């Protein structure tokens, strides 16, 4: 059992708390049983797995099938040292980022593109929502929160491996590509006159969302085929971006599911 907090491996994984270090090493830092299970379900093999005896006793079947060459039993103190949360559930793993697809699909039927998203919790929630609503892609502009942020992965509750967010430096070009392919681009804008349920979501659609505070930039908003608003009561200026995303995704699902009845 690894018990030393000064062990080089402990220091190595601790460095992955920093985004620049994760990028340099090309690694994801996974924390928590649900993320481990989601990665295994997708067939990924870990570079390193650290887990406590208490976790091993709690999940004996999962512990027996952990893929990867370096699986190390550690003390609770070591696990706490390498974890990013205050109360980790007993397992931390590293996974090569290169194993996860980072290329936007050539065509989509339902997707989301977000400009300058900053909050990792919002991104994690949006990932879960896109996955639940059967979306096919989640695109981020290059100045958005890093999707490898451990907070993003945890907030996604494992959905990260089903709908992996893709950062693209050619954000505008990618949206234009989808438009050329016949995908309608729907933006949420406060000055819009249409509500989001007045849109025909049965055709291929890309939802365009902006920064939590500033919204969409004028250049990106100009790419939209349709602008919509979400009606709100007096005294409320806007909704959380993850909630707005969920409302539109599920309106799309409602219209599409009704079409098949």
């Amino acid at each position: 059992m690894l018990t030393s907090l000064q062990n080089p491996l402990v220091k190595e994984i601790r460095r992955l708390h920093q985004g620049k270090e994760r990028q340099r090493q090309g690694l994801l830092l996974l924390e928590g049983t649900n993320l481990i299970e989601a990665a295994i379900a997708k067939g990924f093999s870990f570079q390193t797995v650290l887990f406590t005896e208490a976790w091993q006793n709690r999940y004996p079947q999962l512990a027996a099938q952990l893929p990867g060459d370096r699986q190390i039993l550690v003390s609770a103190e070591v696990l706490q040292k390498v974890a990013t949360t205050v109360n980790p559930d007993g397992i931390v793993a590293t996974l090569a980022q290169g194993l996860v697809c980072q290329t936007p699909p050539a065509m989509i039927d339902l997707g989301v593109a977000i400009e300058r998203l900053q909050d990792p919790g919002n991104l994690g929630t949006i990932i879960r929502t896109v996955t639940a609503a059967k979306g096919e892609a989640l695109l981020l502009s290059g100045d958005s929160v890093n999707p490898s942020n451990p907070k993003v992965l945890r907030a996604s509750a494992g959905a990260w491996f089903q709908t992996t967010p893709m950062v693209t430096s050619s954000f505008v070009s990618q949206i234009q590509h989808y438009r050329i392919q016949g995908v309608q681009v729907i933006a949420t804008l406060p000055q819009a006159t249409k509500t989001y349920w007045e849109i025909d979501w049965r055709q291929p659609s890309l939802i365009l969302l902006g920064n939590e505070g500033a919204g969409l930039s004028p250049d990106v908003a100009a790419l939209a085929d349709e602008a919509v608003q979400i009606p709100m009561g007096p005294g409320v200026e806007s909704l959380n971006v993850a909630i707005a995303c969920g409302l539109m995704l599920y309106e799309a699902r409602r219209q599409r599911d009704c079409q098949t009845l």
Side-chain angles (χ1 to χ4, degrees), residues 21-251:
E21 191 64 23
R22 292 192 302 273
Q23 191 66 29
R24 187 186 73 80
Q25 295 192 39
L27 292 174
L28 296 171
L29 181 61
L30 310 182
E31 183 179 335
T33 304
N34 61 353
L35 278 175
I36 299 300
E37 290 177 321
I40 292 173
K42 281 293 186 178
F44 294 122
S45 182
F46 306 113
Q47 184 192 72
T48 301
V49 186
L50 306 182
F51 54 90
T52 64
E53 187 174 15
W55 183 89
Q56 185 180 39
N57 292 335
R58 192 160 64 248
Y59 301 101
Q61 292 184 328
L62 183 57
Q65 67 177 33
L66 288 171
D69 297 328
R70 190 159 62 168
Q71 303 170 16
I72 303 172
L73 188 66
V74 301
S75 66
E77 291 75 18
V78 166
L79 200 287
Q80 181 70 65
K81 186 74 172 179
V82 298
T84 62
T85 54
V86 176
N87 296 303
D89 79 345
I91 187 166
V92 169
T94 61
L95 176 69
Q97 291 190 35
L99 296 176
V100 185
C101 177
Q102 298 291 320
T103 305
M107 181 60 180
I108 60 169
D109 187 48
L110 181 62
V112 176
I114 311 179
E115 182 189 24
R116 299 178 298 174
L117 186 70
Q118 298 301 307
D119 185 83
N122 280 337
L123 179 54
T125 301
I126 289 170
I127 293 168
R128 294 174 68 179
T129 307
V130 173
T131 304
K134 303 178 185 177
E136 298 168 317
L138 175 54
L139 308 179
L140 300 172
S141 62
D143 47 2
S144 295
V145 59
N146 191 328
S148 75
N149 187 312
K151 292 181 181 179
V152 174
L153 276 83
R154 289 198 308 274
S156 77
W160 196 95
F161 290 101
Q162 297 183 64
T163 307
T164 304
M166 292 164 282
V167 174
T168 172
S169 57
S170 55
F171 186 69
V172 169
S173 297
Q174 189 63 46
I175 295 170
Q176 290 172 330
H177 165 78
Y178 288 138
R179 289 185 70 192
I180 293 171
Q181 300 299 314
V183 177
Q184 66 172 347
V185 178
I186 312 299
T188 53
L189 297 173
Q191 69 270 26
T193 57
K194 281 187 177 180
T195 59
Y196 69 94
W197 58 74
E198 293 179 274
I199 296 296
D200 181 3
W201 293 98
R202 295 169 296 178
Q203 58 184 298
S205 304
L206 179 68
I207 297 169
L208 193 55
L209 298 167
N211 174 269
E212 290 91 340
L216 289 166
S217 67
D219 289 346
V220 173
L223 298 172
D225 299 299
E226 295 276 8
V228 299
Q229 58 148 313
I230 299 173
M232 287 171 284
V236 180
E237 292 185 1
S238 64
L239 289 178
N240 173 277
V241 63
I243 292 175
C245 181
L247 286 171
M248 289 187 289
L249 281 170
Y250 272 93
E251 175 60 18

